[in-house]
Amino acid sequence: MQVRAEMTRGRVLRAAAHIFSEVGYPSASMKDIVTAAGVTKGAAYFHFASKEAIAVALVEDQFAQWPPLVVAITQRAGDPLISVVALTFEVAARFRDDVLVRAGVALSTDRHLVRATLPTPFVGWMRVLTELLGQACDEGLLRAGVDPQAAARALVGGFFGVQHISEALHGRADVQDRLVELWQIFLPGLAEHGDWNLLSAAAWRVLDEVHDGR
Amino acid sequence: MQVRAEMTRGRVLRAAAHIFSEVGYPSASMKDIVTAAGVTKGAAYFHFASKEAIAVALVEDQFAQWPPLVVAITQRAGDPLISVVALTFEVAARFRDDVLVRAGVALSTDRHLVRATLPTPFVGWMRVLTELLGQACDEGLLRAGVDPQAAARALVGGFFGVQHISEALHGRADVQDRLVELWQIFLPGLAEHGDWNLLSAAAWRVLDEVHDGR
Amino acid sequence: MQVRAEMTRGRVLRAAAHIFSEVGYPSASMKDIVTAAGVTKGAAYFHFASKEAIAVALVEDQFAQWPPLVVAITQRAGDPLISVVALTFEVAARFRDDVLVRAGVALSTDRHLVRATLPTPFVGWMRVLTELLGQACDEGLLRAGVDPQAAARALVGGFFGVQHISEALHGRADVQDRLVELWQIFLPGLAEHGDWNLLSAAAWRVLDEVHDGR
Amino acid sequence: MQVRAEMTRGRVLRAAAHIFSEVGYPSASMKDIVTAAGVTKGAAYFHFASKEAIAVALVEDQFAQWPPLVVAITQRAGDPLISVVALTFEVAARFRDDVLVRAGVALSTDRHLVRATLPTPFVGWMRVLTELLGQACDEGLLRAGVDPQAAARALVGGFFGVQHISEALHGRADVQDRLVELWQIFLPGLAEHGDWNLLSAAAWRVLDEVHDGR
DNA sequence: ACATTCGGGACAACCCGTTATT
DNA sequence: AATAACGGGTTGTCCCGAATGT
């Protein structure tokens, strides 16, 4: 009865995602979760050993979804800077729209509230961006003196901060606008002759293709 | 008996700050707090109506400490860009070193976990920075086309993100280095002819004076 | 407000004694106990940190009540053999009649069911009886070749077994009869010329005095 | 598939015996048992309707093993007193060494913790011993005035007590020594001219024969 | 005014023995 | 005989108030 089991597991996960992102992990009670999921406590505890295990599953699911996206975008884009911009747009959109992702982000942000060991956040993104910016550097696209790794760290920090504030103040409704603002300040420091209008237009084209391709 | 009362209040506040910043607000129990404070529950509840009230007091204390700092720094600095840089350095240092501040930041970051209404974060800083960058704009210090408000938002976002990641990964030990990296990327987009070395040196001088002045 | 507290504590202890001796420690729920005691869980947990702590208190109370009894009886009896017999009668009566004692005995018997460390049973009684039988030996009352310590161990074992079986089969209603049977078999092996009728009559006289003396 | 089924049943029984005698019936969870047995819950519940059913099976197995032993020993011994002594030695050894027996004893001792009706303990042994001591009486081996039934009750009580204390204090390691001590006190009250050394030597001879005979 | 002791219940997470379903 | 699901029940904790000193 694999399919019923898989359905139950998914229901729990989705319900937990909603509740976690609404009231936060510590205030979410298993009772709320199973009620929202429409399953019994026994069923939930058959699939997840504990509340923490649900959180871990959620965060790991979220982590697992990025590598394929990175591959899809970099393949279509060709240019590393376009890839980076497109990634930030797409990730921001998912942060805003996908409740599983929102929950994963909330859990990662409050990771000290979860006793279980969650995967370390940020470092994966730093690696990806360091790689892409390194390529850009090799291709002579970066401003002289820019260290790809330092730029990657700054970019991840900026993205996270902007996204967090957008969430705190407006439920991420304005996250894309804030992201554009961030890029407009960032770009001159990153690429000598980068033109934001061209870059963002290219990034959107890539995203359109990626979305259609699916 | 005024002095004993004030001492008790302070002990509770400091103990709560430690516990909140260690395990987070929801997992911090009043029992832990009063034990750490060395007072009885009754005493704590005489000064604070609830656990939430402690959190509110902590956050408000934290908020209240910034305006004087802003005044002190802007008065000494004269130049608005130097003021901004000096502010980020000083605030980052307090985020790292002052347990009361750390607790306030943690509570603000997890503000949806506290049912009571905490003061809205970020907007105060956005106002301050918009003001300072507006001055810089008037004085012709900014790059052409930079909107002071948008730049202020990006700056607050970048600062928060960088600081949060530094906390998550290294307990804020490296926050100053990360902040410098952020500025190095930011500055070209903000000020056409800004030189980071000069700017940061000036900012440190201002901070030295401010610290001595106290 | 010492007196209310002491009352509450006592109510919990007595209720727990009833429930423990009825359904056994593991099957007794705190809910049952506090309901029977007519107090709330908060009150119970103020006095006892856990269910185990109640069990420990019960057993320790039981242990603490024997030394005074030993003193009272030996002082009145003079003769060590009479003391031993009187002790067994009195203890058997309390095992049968006093619910606090019954609970303590039940907990000691099932002590491996309680994770907390309960005082070691039996050894206290072995010491007391070894002492008394040693005196009897010195006074030439014992049969030649009897080792006081071995006899004490056998006596404690016999007493415990007889009492346990009486409890298991008839709720200890027949414990005194069974005890007399035990003594009638035991006495010839212990004291060459002991006469059970004289000895038991003397023991009862001592007990009457002790009871009146209170 | 008869043999696999029988194996599964046996594994469950043995695992349950271990767990019951370690932590007691109420604290033993089916999960622990099936894990220790290396079978699934479904398999265990195929063989036993409930946890109680396992306990009942264990106790009944234990009860069923004594009648053959009684027959074997009385046949070899001839003399009823030798039979009684040999029985106590052999039973004590099995109490100490056989985990199935240990579990049965533990369950019988804590029988009020099992809701199902377990076979009444002690009375079987009392009947056997009453019978044997009755024979001894008829043969003039008992001390004048000894009631076989009362003596049987006292003996069962003494045996149980000594064995229980040995278990509680030393895991039954010293049970044979304690049993000898008990007999040395008991014998004079039971048999006028009984000599313990001869009796126990005869009992051991009988046991050797019984063991070889198997 | 300030502090303490004691009590009140709601509730949380999780486990448990058991039954369906396959 | 294995996987999956079932809910009820357990202990313990938590935040807080009420009664009581000092």
Side-chain angles (χ1 to χ4, degrees), chain B residues 6 21 23 36 41 57-59 63-64 69 73 91 96 110 112 124 129 135 147 190 194:
Chain B
E6 201 50 47
S21 55
V23 303
K41 269 196 199 176
L58 236 19
V59 176
F63 272 63
L69 178 69
I73 286 182
V91 173
R96 186 191 56 205
D110 302 346
H112 59 290
L129 293 192
Q135 280 179 34
D147 171 19
L190 205 59

PDB file of all heavy atoms in Angstrom, chain B residues 6 21 23 36 41 57-59 63-64 69 73 91 96 110 112 124 129 135 147 190 194:
ATOM      1  N   GLU B   6      14.936  47.726  41.749  1.00  0.00           N
ATOM      2  CA  GLU B   6      15.595  47.975  40.466  1.00  0.00           C
ATOM      3  C   GLU B   6      16.604  46.876  40.158  1.00  0.00           C
ATOM      4  O   GLU B   6      16.763  46.447  39.013  1.00  0.00           O
ATOM      5  CB  GLU B   6      16.273  49.355  40.505  1.00  0.00           C
ATOM      6  CG  GLU B   6      16.544  49.947  39.144  1.00  0.00           C
ATOM      7  CD  GLU B   6      15.303  49.907  38.254  1.00  0.00           C
ATOM      8  OE1 GLU B   6      14.195  50.284  38.712  1.00  0.00           O
ATOM      9  OE2 GLU B   6      15.433  49.475  37.093  1.00  0.00           O
ATOM     10  N   SER B  21      18.551  34.496  24.110  1.00  0.00           N
ATOM     11  CA  SER B  21      19.476  34.434  22.976  1.00  0.00           C
ATOM     12  C   SER B  21      20.114  33.056  22.860  1.00  0.00           C
ATOM     13  O   SER B  21      20.655  32.712  21.816  1.00  0.00           O
ATOM     14  CB  SER B  21      20.550  35.525  23.073  1.00  0.00           C
ATOM     15  OG  SER B  21      21.217  35.450  24.296  1.00  0.00           O
ATOM     16  N   VAL B  23      18.397  29.898  23.770  1.00  0.00           N
ATOM     17  CA  VAL B  23      17.460  28.857  23.319  1.00  0.00           C
ATOM     18  C   VAL B  23      16.247  29.407  22.585  1.00  0.00           C
ATOM     19  O   VAL B  23      15.405  28.629  22.152  1.00  0.00           O
ATOM     20  CB  VAL B  23      16.978  28.004  24.511  1.00  0.00           C
ATOM     21  CG1 VAL B  23      18.166  27.391  25.223  1.00  0.00           C
ATOM     22  CG2 VAL B  23      16.132  28.830  25.457  1.00  0.00           C
ATOM     23  N   ALA B  36      18.077  31.453  36.720  1.00  0.00           N
ATOM     24  CA  ALA B  36      19.300  32.131  36.301  1.00  0.00           C
ATOM     25  C   ALA B  36      19.414  33.500  36.951  1.00  0.00           C
ATOM     26  O   ALA B  36      20.510  33.960  37.265  1.00  0.00           O
ATOM     27  CB  ALA B  36      19.323  32.261  34.779  1.00  0.00           C
ATOM     28  N   LYS B  41       9.830  33.299  41.359  1.00  0.00           N
ATOM     29  CA  LYS B  41       8.833  33.590  40.344  1.00  0.00           C
ATOM     30  C   LYS B  41       7.962  34.767  40.735  1.00  0.00           C
ATOM     31  O   LYS B  41       7.651  35.623  39.913  1.00  0.00           O
ATOM     32  CB  LYS B  41       7.953  32.356  40.143  1.00  0.00           C
ATOM     33  CG  LYS B  41       8.462  31.435  39.077  1.00  0.00           C
ATOM     34  CD  LYS B  41       7.357  30.480  38.669  1.00  0.00           C
ATOM     35  CE  LYS B  41       7.946  29.269  37.975  1.00  0.00           C
ATOM     36  NZ  LYS B  41       6.923  28.281  37.650  1.00  0.00           N
ATOM     37  N   ALA B  57      10.027  44.429  26.942  1.00  0.00           N
ATOM     38  CA  ALA B  57      10.954  45.342  27.612  1.00  0.00           C
ATOM     39  C   ALA B  57      12.338  45.246  26.996  1.00  0.00           C
ATOM     40  O   ALA B  57      13.007  46.256  26.749  1.00  0.00           O
ATOM     41  CB  ALA B  57      11.014  45.017  29.103  1.00  0.00           C
ATOM     42  N   LEU B  58      12.738  44.043  26.738  1.00  0.00           N
ATOM     43  CA  LEU B  58      14.063  43.828  26.156  1.00  0.00           C
ATOM     44  C   LEU B  58      14.175  44.498  24.786  1.00  0.00           C
ATOM     45  O   LEU B  58      15.143  45.217  24.491  1.00  0.00           O
ATOM     46  CB  LEU B  58      14.268  42.314  26.009  1.00  0.00           C
ATOM     47  CG  LEU B  58      15.444  41.569  26.624  1.00  0.00           C
ATOM     48  CD1 LEU B  58      16.116  42.320  27.737  1.00  0.00           C
ATOM     49  CD2 LEU B  58      14.978  40.205  27.104  1.00  0.00           C
ATOM     50  N   VAL B  59      13.181  44.277  23.952  1.00  0.00           N
ATOM     51  CA  VAL B  59      13.240  44.832  22.607  1.00  0.00           C
ATOM     52  C   VAL B  59      13.161  46.354  22.662  1.00  0.00           C
ATOM     53  O   VAL B  59      13.887  47.056  21.939  1.00  0.00           O
ATOM     54  CB  VAL B  59      12.119  44.254  21.730  1.00  0.00           C
ATOM     55  CG1 VAL B  59      12.123  44.911  20.366  1.00  0.00           C
ATOM     56  CG2 VAL B  59      12.286  42.754  21.587  1.00  0.00           C
ATOM     57  N   PHE B  63      15.734  49.079  21.168  1.00  0.00           N
ATOM     58  CA  PHE B  63      15.363  50.141  20.233  1.00  0.00           C
ATOM     59  C   PHE B  63      15.754  51.516  20.763  1.00  0.00           C
ATOM     60  O   PHE B  63      16.194  52.381  20.016  1.00  0.00           O
ATOM     61  CB  PHE B  63      13.858  50.110  19.974  1.00  0.00           C
ATOM     62  CG  PHE B  63      13.478  49.208  18.840  1.00  0.00           C
ATOM     63  CD1 PHE B  63      13.721  47.854  18.900  1.00  0.00           C
ATOM     64  CD2 PHE B  63      12.883  49.713  17.693  1.00  0.00           C
ATOM     65  CE1 PHE B  63      13.380  47.012  17.855  1.00  0.00           C
ATOM     66  CE2 PHE B  63      12.546  48.892  16.634  1.00  0.00           C
ATOM     67  CZ  PHE B  63      12.792  47.535  16.722  1.00  0.00           C
ATOM     68  N   ALA B  64      15.580  51.687  22.069  1.00  0.00           N
ATOM     69  CA  ALA B  64      15.803  53.010  22.643  1.00  0.00           C
ATOM     70  C   ALA B  64      17.272  53.415  22.641  1.00  0.00           C
ATOM     71  O   ALA B  64      17.610  54.589  22.782  1.00  0.00           O
ATOM     72  CB  ALA B  64      15.268  53.032  24.077  1.00  0.00           C
ATOM     73  N   LEU B  69      22.868  56.980  19.892  1.00  0.00           N
ATOM     74  CA  LEU B  69      24.071  56.621  19.147  1.00  0.00           C
ATOM     75  C   LEU B  69      24.120  57.360  17.810  1.00  0.00           C
ATOM     76  O   LEU B  69      25.167  57.884  17.399  1.00  0.00           O
ATOM     77  CB  LEU B  69      24.110  55.107  18.916  1.00  0.00           C
ATOM     78  CG  LEU B  69      25.298  54.610  18.103  1.00  0.00           C
ATOM     79  CD1 LEU B  69      26.588  54.773  18.895  1.00  0.00           C
ATOM     80  CD2 LEU B  69      25.110  53.163  17.674  1.00  0.00           C
ATOM     81  N   ILE B  73      27.118  59.951  16.728  1.00  0.00           N
ATOM     82  CA  ILE B  73      27.987  59.693  15.578  1.00  0.00           C
ATOM     83  C   ILE B  73      27.842  60.779  14.511  1.00  0.00           C
ATOM     84  O   ILE B  73      28.842  61.283  13.980  1.00  0.00           O
ATOM     85  CB  ILE B  73      27.712  58.291  15.003  1.00  0.00           C
ATOM     86  CG1 ILE B  73      28.319  57.238  15.944  1.00  0.00           C
ATOM     87  CG2 ILE B  73      28.258  58.157  13.594  1.00  0.00           C
ATOM     88  CD1 ILE B  73      28.161  55.822  15.479  1.00  0.00           C
ATOM     89  N   VAL B  91      27.095  49.304  15.278  1.00  0.00           N
ATOM     90  CA  VAL B  91      25.943  48.440  15.531  1.00  0.00           C
ATOM     91  C   VAL B  91      26.353  46.969  15.435  1.00  0.00           C
ATOM     92  O   VAL B  91      25.960  46.143  16.259  1.00  0.00           O
ATOM     93  CB  VAL B  91      24.814  48.766  14.544  1.00  0.00           C
ATOM     94  CG1 VAL B  91      23.684  47.764  14.669  1.00  0.00           C
ATOM     95  CG2 VAL B  91      24.300  50.179  14.795  1.00  0.00           C
ATOM     96  N   ARG B  96      27.328  41.913  18.280  1.00  0.00           N
ATOM     97  CA  ARG B  96      28.210  40.794  18.602  1.00  0.00           C
ATOM     98  C   ARG B  96      28.469  40.699  20.099  1.00  0.00           C
ATOM     99  O   ARG B  96      28.522  39.606  20.651  1.00  0.00           O
ATOM    100  CB  ARG B  96      29.538  40.981  17.855  1.00  0.00           C
ATOM    101  CG  ARG B  96      30.516  39.816  17.971  1.00  0.00           C
ATOM    102  CD  ARG B  96      31.877  40.230  17.440  1.00  0.00           C
ATOM    103  NE  ARG B  96      32.344  41.417  18.130  1.00  0.00           N
ATOM    104  CZ  ARG B  96      33.213  42.300  17.621  1.00  0.00           C
ATOM    105  NH1 ARG B  96      33.714  42.112  16.408  1.00  0.00           N
ATOM    106  NH2 ARG B  96      33.583  43.355  18.305  1.00  0.00           N
ATOM    107  N   ASP B 110      12.707  36.717  15.420  1.00  0.00           N
ATOM    108  CA  ASP B 110      11.653  35.717  15.598  1.00  0.00           C
ATOM    109  C   ASP B 110      10.373  36.368  16.105  1.00  0.00           C
ATOM    110  O   ASP B 110       9.625  35.778  16.865  1.00  0.00           O
ATOM    111  CB  ASP B 110      12.093  34.660  16.628  1.00  0.00           C
ATOM    112  CG  ASP B 110      13.362  33.966  16.223  1.00  0.00           C
ATOM    113  OD1 ASP B 110      13.751  34.096  15.057  1.00  0.00           O
ATOM    114  OD2 ASP B 110      13.932  33.281  17.081  1.00  0.00           O
ATOM    115  N   HIS B 112       7.478  36.844  15.137  1.00  0.00           N
ATOM    116  CA  HIS B 112       6.160  36.216  15.010  1.00  0.00           C
ATOM    117  C   HIS B 112       5.943  35.159  16.092  1.00  0.00           C
ATOM    118  O   HIS B 112       4.838  34.684  16.272  1.00  0.00           O
ATOM    119  CB  HIS B 112       6.000  35.600  13.620  1.00  0.00           C
ATOM    120  CG  HIS B 112       7.028  34.571  13.304  1.00  0.00           C
ATOM    121  ND1 HIS B 112       8.343  34.874  13.088  1.00  0.00           N
ATOM    122  CD2 HIS B 112       6.932  33.232  13.183  1.00  0.00           C
ATOM    123  CE1 HIS B 112       9.022  33.764  12.844  1.00  0.00           C
ATOM    124  NE2 HIS B 112       8.196  32.756  12.891  1.00  0.00           N
ATOM    125  N   GLY B 124      12.868  51.916  11.443  1.00  0.00           N
ATOM    126  CA  GLY B 124      13.603  53.002  12.078  1.00  0.00           C
ATOM    127  C   GLY B 124      14.939  53.223  11.389  1.00  0.00           C
ATOM    128  O   GLY B 124      15.310  54.349  11.034  1.00  0.00           O
ATOM    129  N   LEU B 129      18.761  55.975   7.697  1.00  0.00           N
ATOM    130  CA  LEU B 129      19.689  55.902   6.563  1.00  0.00           C
ATOM    131  C   LEU B 129      19.168  56.700   5.370  1.00  0.00           C
ATOM    132  O   LEU B 129      19.954  57.304   4.631  1.00  0.00           O
ATOM    133  CB  LEU B 129      19.929  54.441   6.170  1.00  0.00           C
ATOM    134  CG  LEU B 129      20.684  53.601   7.199  1.00  0.00           C
ATOM    135  CD1 LEU B 129      21.122  52.286   6.599  1.00  0.00           C
ATOM    136  CD2 LEU B 129      21.884  54.358   7.744  1.00  0.00           C
ATOM    137  N   GLN B 135      20.987  63.457   2.629  1.00  0.00           N
ATOM    138  CA  GLN B 135      21.982  64.528   2.793  1.00  0.00           C
ATOM    139  C   GLN B 135      23.158  64.345   1.837  1.00  0.00           C
ATOM    140  O   GLN B 135      23.606  65.264   1.179  1.00  0.00           O
ATOM    141  CB  GLN B 135      22.524  64.512   4.223  1.00  0.00           C
ATOM    142  CG  GLN B 135      21.629  65.164   5.251  1.00  0.00           C
ATOM    143  CD  GLN B 135      22.254  65.062   6.634  1.00  0.00           C
ATOM    144  OE1 GLN B 135      23.484  65.117   6.758  1.00  0.00           O
ATOM    145  NE2 GLN B 135      21.413  64.910   7.647  1.00  0.00           N
ATOM    146  N   ASP B 147      18.629  56.318  -5.749  1.00  0.00           N
ATOM    147  CA  ASP B 147      17.519  56.788  -4.908  1.00  0.00           C
ATOM    148  C   ASP B 147      17.883  56.535  -3.446  1.00  0.00           C
ATOM    149  O   ASP B 147      18.090  55.383  -3.051  1.00  0.00           O
ATOM    150  CB  ASP B 147      16.258  56.007  -5.287  1.00  0.00           C
ATOM    151  CG  ASP B 147      15.131  56.277  -4.308  1.00  0.00           C
ATOM    152  OD1 ASP B 147      15.194  57.291  -3.581  1.00  0.00           O
ATOM    153  OD2 ASP B 147      14.184  55.448  -4.265  1.00  0.00           O
ATOM    154  N   LEU B 190      27.102  53.103  -4.788  1.00  0.00           N
ATOM    155  CA  LEU B 190      26.485  54.161  -3.995  1.00  0.00           C
ATOM    156  C   LEU B 190      27.147  55.509  -4.289  1.00  0.00           C
ATOM    157  O   LEU B 190      26.464  56.517  -4.502  1.00  0.00           O
ATOM    158  CB  LEU B 190      26.681  53.824  -2.505  1.00  0.00           C
ATOM    159  CG  LEU B 190      25.690  54.392  -1.508  1.00  0.00           C
ATOM    160  CD1 LEU B 190      24.291  53.919  -1.845  1.00  0.00           C
ATOM    161  CD2 LEU B 190      26.076  53.965  -0.103  1.00  0.00           C
ATOM    162  N   GLY B 194      33.856  57.241  -4.206  1.00  0.00           N
ATOM    163  CA  GLY B 194      34.185  56.893  -2.818  1.00  0.00           C
ATOM    164  C   GLY B 194      35.388  55.962  -2.761  1.00  0.00           C
ATOM    165  O   GLY B 194      35.523  55.042  -3.558  1.00  0.00           O
TER     166      GLY B 194
END
